[in-house]
Amino acid sequence: MNIALIAHDKMKQDMVNFTTAYQYVLSEHHLYATGTTGSKIRKATGMDVHLFQSGPLGGDQQIGATIANNEMDMVIFFRDPLTAQPHEPDISALMRLCDVYHIPLATNIAASEIFIRGLENGDFQWRDIVKQKKGKEKA
């Protein structure tokens, strides 16, 4: 699966801790991240992470484009609900795209742990069916 990892500044260490703890699951998938978050994950875990731009510089929009193109299967986004974000419209657009295209979106560590357990159990294989259906529609 293609998994996007995003974290606001005050949540980046939580994301590093999360990806370190669940490296055994995440390393079996293709990981994508906004710039700073992905760099920190790479450094801490050694996992291969495709880096987009930093969120405020367009990374959220780049991930949104992959969602709109049916190229992303899951988004784990550790949001900071107590700090105003200058790129809030981009964040809202990303979350809206997840809803429009039925992409699982976890915005905190509790929901993210449920997603990880689902990945371990193979509960997200329905995404393969969606991808096959979309591929046939394009043909």
Side-chain angles (χ1 to χ4, degrees):
M1 290 188 69
N2 295 330
I3 302 171
L5 304 168
I6 310 166
H8 284 150
D9 288 344
K10 291 184 179 178
M11 307 302 286
K12 288 190 190 314
Q13 189 56 52
D14 288 342
M15 179 62 81
V16 167
N17 294 344
F18 178 82
T19 55
T20 300
Y22 292 110
Q23 183 173 348
Y24 70 99
V25 176
L26 293 169
S27 63
E28 300 295 318
H29 301 277
H30 301 283
L31 304 179
Y32 300 81
T34 48
T36 308
T37 301
S39 295
K40 289 178 180 284
I41 293 168
R42 273 185 182 173
K43 183 177 179 183
T45 66
M47 289 190 293
D48 184 33
V49 181
H50 173 85
L51 300 181
F52 289 109
Q53 296 292 327
S54 170
L57 298 178
D60 298 327
Q61 291 178 336
Q62 289 176 302
I63 290 173
T66 66
I67 292 168
N69 288 321
N70 200 36
E71 298 167 354
M72 194 62 63
D73 299 304
M74 176 184 295
V75 177
I76 296 176
F77 187 173
F78 286 7
R79 296 178 62 233
D80 178 0
L82 301 177
T83 303
Q85 301 297 324
H87 61 295
E88 189 65 40
D90 297 338
I91 296 164
S92 295
L94 175 67
M95 294 171 67
R96 184 181 64 77
L97 284 170
C98 287
D99 288 341
V100 168
Y101 291 98
H102 309 293
I103 301 301
L105 168 67
T107 60
N108 60 58
I109 196 164
S112 299
E113 288 194 31
I114 292 169
F115 280 14
I116 290 292
R117 297 298 179 208
L119 283 171
E120 281 183 303
N121 295 331
D123 295 338
F124 289 98
Q125 291 180 355
W126 61 269
R127 282 289 303 148
D128 292 333
I129 296 168
V130 171
K131 285 180 182 179
Q132 290 171 2
K133 181 179 176 186
K134 294 288 184 185
K136 288 178 184 176
E137 289 174 1
K138 287 183 180 179

